[in-house]
Amino acid sequence: MAQGTFERRELKYLISAKQKKNILDGMKPHMEPDEYGRSVICSLYYDTPDYLLIRRSLEKPVYKEKLRLRSYGVAKPHSTVYVELKKKYRSVVYKRRVAMQEQEAMEYLSSGKKSEDNQMMREIDYFMSYYHNPKPSVFLSYEREAFYGIEDFEFRVTFDEN
């Protein structure tokens, strides 16, 4: 079963191809590719008509939140996708997500109709209500190589490009 709750500290760096190679070489004895390995990440971000969520995010506040629909690979109607609430407070990222089929997720996010009721779905419902049913506003796609620590499987390193 896929993990539905995450708490992480994220550090992001812009690096060169040579730096990436050196990092990959150095981490080889300590890291393994994760379940997705190298994959295409597709994210559809939701926002208000006046782009309140992204404007707040760009202000670098102590607390910020966002809603997105994420797939690993290009989603088809029966693909598993994730409806995610991502919150950041004092540099710690908290992510709550629910796995569902793409067609079910799209219907839920556009109409509020859901096939199950649980705590995470209620949190997403609250977010949708609070922000007056945000709509899809930005689609991002990129390639990711993801690794986890052999000694500490919660330690992750990802490389995003393209």
Side-chain angles (χ1 to χ4, degrees), residues 1 37 49 51 57 78 86-87 91 104 106 116 121 132:
M1 182 176 157
Y51 303 105
S57 180
H78 296 289
K86 189 172 179 185
K87 301 175 182 196
S91 302
E104 177 188 9
M106 293 303 289
E116 66 177 285
M121 296 295 285
H132 307 289

Side-chain angles (χ1 to χ4, degrees), residues 44-48 51 67 69 106 109-110 128 133-139:
L44 181 59
Y45 288 85
Y46 284 69
D47 209 335
T48 63
Y51 303 105
L67 174 68
L69 179 63
M106 293 303 289
L109 291 169
S110 64
M128 297 288 283
N133 297 314
K135 303 293 182 220
S137 61
V138 173
F139 175 78

